[in-house]
Amino acid sequence: MIPIILFLIALCAILMIINALMKSNFRLLPAISALAGLLVSIYAAIVYLYSGSVPVENFAYIPYLNIPLSFNLSGISIVLLIMSSIVLLAASIAGNPEREHTKLSGTMILLFQIASIGLFSANNLFVFFIFWDIGVIAMFVMINVLGSANRRSASINFLVYEIFASSMLLLAIILLYTYTPTHTLQIGSIASLASQIPPRIQLYIFILFFVAFMTNILIYPMHFWLPDAHAEASTQGSMLLSGILTKFGGYGMFLLFLMMPIAREYAYIIAALAIFSSIWGALILIRQTDIKRIVAYSTIVEMAIILMAISSYSNIGEAGAIFGMLSHGLTVSLMFLTAGTIKYIFSERNTTRLRGILLSTPASTYAFIIAALSMIGFPLTTGFITDILIFIGSFQAFGLYALIPLIAILIVGIFMYALISKSFLYVKESSDAGAYIGKRETLGYYIIAGAIILIGIVPLIIINLLGL
Amino acid sequence: MTLQLNIIDLILPSLFGIAILSFVALYFEAKRLSAIVILLFSFLIFSSSLYAAYIGTNAMYLGAIHIYPFSMLFVAIISIGVLLVGMSAYDYSKDYCAFASMLGLSLIAGFVVATSSTLLSILLGLELMAILASMLILLEGRHRIEAAVKLFIMGSLFAALFTFGAAILLQFNNGVSLNGPISGTGYAIILAMLLIIASLGFETAIFPFNLWIPDVYSGSPGFITAMLAGINKKVAFVGLILVLFVSFGAMAKTYSPIIEALAIFTMFYGNLLALSQKNVKRMLAYSSISQAGYILVGIAAASISGLSAAIFYIFAHSFMIIGAFIVVLVLESKNIQKVDEYTGLFQRSGILGISLSIFMLSMAGIPPLIGFFGKFLLFYSAVNSKLLFLAIVGIVNSFLSIYYYGRVINAIFTQRKQRHIHIGVMALIAIIVPLIIVVAFGLFPQPIINLASIAAKSII
């Protein structure tokens, strides 16, 4: 069988080089590769569902260190790949209504796609780390070049936090590599070998991994880069940042619980941190007036809830966490897409001055409403399935404490209701629309909103992939 | 046997050729001839020595020139460095013929150090190199007299220290010959070791001995800085590795803590001072000090994996720093020096902007570039030798460095409409070759890791 992941990465790399070297730019290249990614991940899903596994791809990479270039598609990876392909597809089709720097942004989207494909399917921590940093650099350039006024300081802030995280990750990987008896970084075999590492070193490794992933999954003390980075990034940048980059951290946390048994001993502390972080994010959220910052803080709430589900370490909770990452990736990127388009149309991000959006752009209004409903867990959307799975799983593990984040969801829901009714649906006065959106932006809405509703109504395929 | 003779038969005449022909060219002031001589012969030496390192030749020639993978790998690194610096200077040097002949002589000095079989030839080669460097700075530098005098006096002082150390070692078995570990104990040996580390620490830019670096680096034109950081420093590292791993090979427990402490101070010194620099060249000078600290991490590990990591990183760093300084050279010829003036570089010249960003990201240790693999190997070898604290300090430092590299990259990608920058063809090639090496061996580091471990095994 063809090594599909390597094929996909090579395709993205070739398209990226073509895109970078061509004099005139061909805007469809990122969309083509995202579509290819979607088709390949659907194909992998079918293979996985019929035969129970997808062949592992192994290539010699650094024999000196016993590190192969190894890719393995589990059900979880396939779910995350499907999510990231949909987000990338929508971002590359619709995310740039200004049509600015299409060449550079296309190149960076392709680079980011390489990172996300490699990271979600990596079977080796070294490979995981390499793709992690590729993603960070692609994101840094996207914020730095394509964002709005304060992007320079925001992007440096982002870079410093992310490199701090990846330094911690590197140290953890080196420790893990040195102290595992067979000097291996294969994710599958670490799980069985981790108990042979001295307990003190296990603790160090766990803390380092946790701090690194905490930066990307946006838990309380490590999230300060996020609001600025989101607010200043371009629409595409925010979509990828919130939709996919935060999932790097979520997937990393998932792997951490899978690999290091010691993590389960600290599950209560992690869950408490996550619960605190969700409430804290919600409380900050209600003071925001910038529409992109609002969506950014809602990311903190959602990702904290996902972390709580991961730390429950029950079947339902873990499946809920992965389903939540799928749901949140789609939801938040739809929200950022609408927020970016609204910013383009009205040249305004302040919700106290945005009025009567429905009159100028009904499509954006409906898309935002669908996203908001999915975010608060309305039935027929992916958010509903997510919340059911997450809270059942967490309730089994932590009892009534697990229901505290519902308060945060409630706060977010009330706030979103007020926002939608005041800014979107209130039509007695309306802001001046400076521009109109084209068919491509509407197509982007259809893609993500369609995916949210489709998966919300028929979640069975995803649920099967997650092995519930 | 015939094959080995063939290789040395190719290298030695090339060295003579460089020396004689470049002086002929200097006499007739034939710029093009100088360029052809230096490029042709250094390429010849590069390819033949790389081949020799690859097949693992091991022979003693003329009783003094030791040909083995370690020396051949370093001759290859030095000669490609000479090739790149020689190319870059073509359009920017005031007196190219003189520069080329000095460059050729420093290739010879590097060859003498790398293939040395006694401490004395290390001293000879390094001293030749230091004198050539101060002459070059006198020829071309801007604040040249101060920098050249500083370099010359400090160089003589540290050469005297080396001589004193070697004189102490003379009484012991294997004392000044690099045949094997020195047999003997006592404080005299430790004193000699300290003296030699200090004297080599001068050229390798180890912390308390590196105070001359920022002035000299920023006071001389970019190609000389590239030569000092990319060639001279690496040659001094060859000397340090030879002395520590061969002569003091039995005393790893003694020198490892010393090198560890020096590494920690060197990394922090370079990085913390680089944080506050506004001039890019000065910033790169400080950052190259901290990079020397990373190389020391591998030496402090005192194991085969540590040594091969150090060799790998020396290889990587010589390309990154030469490339970066050549970009700086092109820009300073347009009077662009400060970080603020780098604003909009990506629009002014795409290749300069991208290549400088990639060199800097590689120095900061971002995968999948060559610097990252170097750092991974270095810190892994440190953890493997139970030097966890050193590895943590190294990682903290590589995190610190992203801050000042990030500032420059940030400026490069900021948009500002300005005129396009024109680059000479030779300089362009001299930027693209390191760029390809940094990216290609970053994606597939295995061949270099292999070479480095062959070289490391050949010395221990």
Side-chain angles (χ1 to χ4, degrees):
Chain A
M1 194 182 139
I2 316 165
I4 45 176
I5 292 299
L6 197 73
F7 164 74
L8 203 54
I9 290 177
L11 178 76
C12 293
I14 291 167
L15 289 181
M16 185 182 85
I17 292 167
I18 291 174
N19 197 30
L21 293 182
M22 254 188 342
K23 281 271 184 272
S24 60
N25 63 62
F26 184 53
R27 286 199 301 258
L28 278 177
L29 283 182
I32 288 173
S33 83
L35 197 61
L38 186 61
L39 292 178
V40 166
S41 42
I42 288 173
Y43 169 70
I46 293 169
V47 171
Y48 186 84
L49 287 177
Y50 274 98
S51 62
S53 66
V54 178
V56 178
E57 298 169 22
N58 271 319
F59 310 95
Y61 186 41
I62 312 178
Y64 177 76
L65 293 172
N66 185 22
I67 292 172
L69 194 62
S70 172
F71 299 110
N72 180 22
L73 283 176
S74 60
I76 292 151
S77 316
I78 296 171
V79 171
L80 290 173
L81 274 184
I82 290 175
M83 184 274 292
S84 62
S85 311
I86 295 173
V87 172
L88 281 161
L89 183 63
S92 48
I93 288 178
N96 196 352
E98 296 91 352
R99 309 279 190 270
E100 275 178 350
H101 298 289
T102 44
K103 189 170 156 184
L104 187 64
S105 71
T107 312
M108 286 302 139
I109 287 178
L110 286 164
L111 188 61
F112 194 79
Q113 190 183 2
I114 294 175
S116 65
I117 293 168
L119 188 129
F120 289 139
S121 57
N123 193 23
N124 186 304
L125 275 179
F126 196 81
V127 180
F128 179 93
F129 178 75
I130 289 175
F131 286 110
W132 171 289
D133 267 23
I134 293 178
V136 167
I137 293 302
M139 212 61 238
F140 167 71
V141 176
M142 282 196 85
I143 299 173
N144 193 321
V145 181
L146 307 165
S148 48
N150 283 329
R151 58 176 188 271
R152 290 184 68 176
S153 63
S155 63
I156 280 284
N157 217 340
F158 167 78
L159 188 68
V160 168
Y161 268 92
E162 287 296 328
I163 297 298
F164 173 74
S166 78
S167 308
M168 298 295 112
L169 197 54
L170 178 61
L171 191 57
I173 287 174
I174 289 174
L175 281 176
L176 200 56
Y177 181 75
T178 316
Y179 284 96
T180 39
T182 51
H183 291 305
T184 179
L185 285 172
Q186 293 293 98
I187 290 168
S189 46
I190 288 172
S192 56
L193 293 170
S195 55
Q196 298 176 32
I197 301 171
R200 204 165 54 94
I201 303 290
Q202 273 192 51
L203 184 61
Y204 290 163
I205 294 173
F206 163 67
I207 291 173
L208 289 168
F209 270 129
F210 186 72
V211 170
F213 295 140
M214 197 162 87
T215 313
N216 260 8
I217 206 177
L218 304 166
I219 295 304
Y220 164 62
M222 297 298 290
H223 72 277
F224 289 107
W225 59 271
L226 164 105
D228 278 344
H230 278 80
E232 301 304 331
S234 63
T235 309
Q236 288 170 326
S238 317
M239 285 172 80
L240 303 188
L241 192 58
S242 207
I244 304 177
L245 195 87
T246 52
K247 309 302 173 290
F248 286 12
Y251 185 58
M253 283 290 183
F254 180 82
L255 291 181
L256 177 61
F257 273 85
L258 194 73
M259 289 183 308
M260 306 291 295
I262 195 171
R264 287 161 220 163
E265 294 170 22
Y266 295 90
Y268 275 94
I269 299 173
I270 297 172
L273 194 61
I275 291 168
F276 170 75
S277 185
S278 70
I279 298 287
W280 193 87
L283 290 179
I284 303 285
L285 169 76
I286 53 180
R287 289 187 48 83
Q288 301 301 318
T289 54
D290 181 330
I291 190 164
K292 284 184 112 174
R293 279 178 176 262
I294 291 169
V295 186
Y297 278 104
S298 78
T299 305
I300 296 183
V301 177
E302 293 279 314
M303 291 310 286
I305 294 172
I306 287 169
L307 177 60
M308 182 186 75
I310 293 173
S311 64
S312 74
Y313 204 70
S314 62
N315 274 340
I316 299 178
E318 300 269 282
I322 302 296
F323 202 97
M325 285 194 232
L326 167 87
S327 163
H328 176 253
L330 297 174
T331 307
V332 86
S333 50
L334 182 55
M335 274 196 169
F336 271 120
L337 185 57
T338 39
T341 316
I342 287 168
K343 155 107 197 319
Y344 167 68
I345 294 172
F346 298 99
S347 306
E348 178 70 73
R349 288 195 320 225
N350 193 329
T351 51
T352 54
R353 289 199 286 273
L354 279 170
R355 288 289 178 266
I357 295 171
L358 178 66
L359 291 178
S360 305
T361 161
S364 305
T365 310
Y366 299 134
F368 195 86
I369 291 174
I370 290 173
L373 289 178
S374 171
M375 183 166 278
I376 58 174
F378 193 76
L380 301 184
T381 60
T382 49
F384 176 63
I385 318 285
T386 306
D387 285 358
I388 284 187
L389 291 176
I390 283 184
F391 285 106
I392 290 176
S394 311
F395 184 74
Q396 286 173 349
F398 306 116
L400 282 173
Y401 293 110
L403 302 184
I404 297 174
L406 280 175
I407 300 171
I409 293 184
L410 193 67
I411 296 173
V412 173
I414 293 170
F415 186 80
M416 286 295 172
Y417 168 74
L419 174 70
I420 289 170
S421 64
K422 266 200 271 173
S423 294
F424 285 82
L425 300 179
Y426 181 76
V427 290
K428 293 207 174 118
E429 51 180 312
S430 69
S431 307
D432 293 335
Y436 291 95
I437 56 168
K439 280 186 187 143
R440 290 172 58 150
E441 281 67 32
T442 327
L443 181 61
Y445 293 153
Y446 276 122
I447 291 170
I448 305 186
I452 290 176
I453 293 175
L454 185 69
I455 300 175
I457 295 175
V458 197
L460 285 175
I461 298 171
I462 305 291
I463 300 267
N464 280 342
L465 281 171
L466 296 177
L468 268 189
Chain B
M1 195 62 201
T2 49
L3 197 62
Q4 291 159 5
L5 281 181
N6 280 342
I7 283 157
I8 196 72
D9 283 347
L10 207 57
I11 294 179
L12 276 187
S14 305
L15 287 170
F16 282 121
I18 278 197
I20 292 166
L21 283 175
S22 60
F23 276 104
V24 170
L26 178 61
Y27 182 75
F28 290 108
E29 297 213 340
K31 191 175 169 188
R32 212 166 276 169
L33 177 63
S34 295
I36 291 170
V37 167
I38 197 103
L39 301 187
L40 184 69
F41 284 119
S42 56
F43 185 75
L44 262 177
I45 295 171
F46 165 71
S47 40
S48 48
S49 55
L50 196 64
Y51 179 67
Y54 186 73
I55 62 169
T57 319
N58 195 340
M60 191 70 109
Y61 196 72
L62 298 178
I65 298 171
H66 193 181
I67 302 286
Y68 60 119
F70 177 79
S71 67
M72 283 297 103
L73 180 62
F74 273 101
V75 170
I77 294 175
I78 294 161
S79 52
I80 188 133
V82 165
L83 183 73
L84 294 173
V85 173
M87 262 190 202
S88 70
Y90 188 75
D91 290 327
Y92 298 94
S93 171
K94 276 180 278 180
D95 188 354
Y96 185 76
C97 301
F99 176 75
S101 56
M102 305 273 175
L103 201 60
L105 285 180
S106 37
L107 176 54
I108 294 174
F111 180 82
V112 169
V113 175
T115 59
S116 60
S117 54
T118 66
L119 288 189
L120 298 181
S121 49
I122 294 180
L123 176 62
L124 265 179
L126 284 178
E127 195 49 28
L128 176 58
M129 208 142 211
I131 289 173
L132 285 170
S134 35
M135 278 164 77
L136 274 177
I137 291 168
L138 208 55
L139 270 174
E140 307 242 7
R142 241 171 284 130
H143 313 290
R144 49 197 188 183
I145 294 187
E146 189 196 338
V149 168
K150 223 177 211 174
L151 190 59
F152 181 73
I153 292 179
M154 300 283 272
S156 323
L157 180 66
F158 285 103
L161 288 186
F162 193 103
T163 320
F164 188 35
I168 294 173
L169 289 179
L170 200 55
Q171 54 180 314
F172 296 105
N173 212 357
N174 269 340
V176 290
S177 73
L178 291 167
N179 288 337
I182 296 170
S183 50
T185 49
Y187 288 104
I189 289 193
I190 295 175
L191 176 66
M193 185 204 294
L194 289 176
L195 285 170
I196 291 178
I197 288 177
S199 103
L200 292 169
F202 163 71
E203 277 273 0
T204 47
I206 296 172
F207 165 55
F209 319 113
N210 59 11
L211 302 173
W212 58 279
I213 290 241
D215 289 339
V216 173
Y217 276 24
S218 59
S220 27
F223 48 91
I224 293 182
T225 321
M227 185 188 130
L228 289 174
I231 302 170
N232 288 19
K233 198 171 168 183
K234 306 303 176 254
V235 173
F237 263 115
V238 177
L240 190 65
I241 289 173
L242 280 175
V243 170
L244 288 182
F245 281 82
V246 179
S247 289
F248 299 110
M251 302 171 66
K253 285 215 169 64
T254 317
Y255 72 72
S256 175
I258 299 172
I259 299 289
E260 187 187 350
L262 290 177
I264 291 171
F265 282 115
T266 310
M267 286 189 280
F268 271 119
Y269 174 81
N271 270 325
L272 292 179
L273 284 172
L275 279 176
S276 61
Q277 298 305 319
K278 292 201 168 54
N279 183 317
V280 175
K281 204 169 177 188
R282 240 180 136 77
M283 192 201 87
L284 280 174
Y286 280 113
S287 95
S288 91
I289 291 176
S290 72
Q291 305 278 330
Y294 296 130
I295 298 171
L296 288 184
V297 171
I299 296 176
S303 59
I304 288 189
S305 70
L307 182 56
S308 43
I311 293 172
F312 184 92
Y313 203 74
I314 290 173
F315 175 87
H317 181 243
S318 66
F319 289 105
M320 300 183 292
I321 200 79
I322 286 179
F325 273 126
I326 293 173
V327 175
V328 169
L329 161 75
V330 173
L331 291 176
E332 78 182 351
S333 73
K334 304 282 187 290
N335 223 352
I336 300 172
Q337 290 170 346
K338 298 224 166 69
V339 177
D340 297 338
E341 294 164 346
Y342 276 59
T343 310
L345 181 63
F346 178 64
Q347 282 181 322
R348 301 186 71 178
S349 170
I351 181 76
L352 287 182
I354 286 185
S355 52
L356 187 59
S357 318
I358 286 182
F359 292 138
M360 284 186 165
L361 288 176
S362 175
M363 281 193 262
I366 305 286
L369 300 169
I370 195 166
F372 161 70
F373 288 97
K375 282 188 182 169
F376 182 83
L377 292 169
L378 285 170
F379 300 146
Y380 160 63
S381 68
V383 174
N384 212 7
S385 304
K386 310 275 181 231
L387 300 174
L388 181 56
F389 180 67
L390 187 60
I392 292 174
V393 169
I395 283 179
V396 166
N397 270 288
S398 94
F399 161 63
L400 277 181
S401 67
I402 196 65
Y403 193 78
Y404 52 85
Y405 292 133
R407 229 174 28 175
V408 178
I409 295 170
N410 200 348
I412 288 173
F413 282 101
T414 305
Q415 284 141 34
R416 184 190 282 177
K417 285 263 180 303
Q418 272 168 325
R419 274 194 303 143
H420 191 76
I421 295 176
H422 178 74
I423 321 166
V425 182
M426 296 279 255
L428 188 65
I429 298 171
I431 291 169
I432 287 177
V433 170
L435 185 67
I436 291 172
I437 288 173
V438 165
V439 174
F441 288 123
L443 289 172
F444 306 102
Q446 181 61 29
I448 306 299
I449 296 180
N450 266 345
L451 268 180
S453 76
I454 290 172
K457 276 174 195 148
S458 76
I459 190 171
I460 295 182

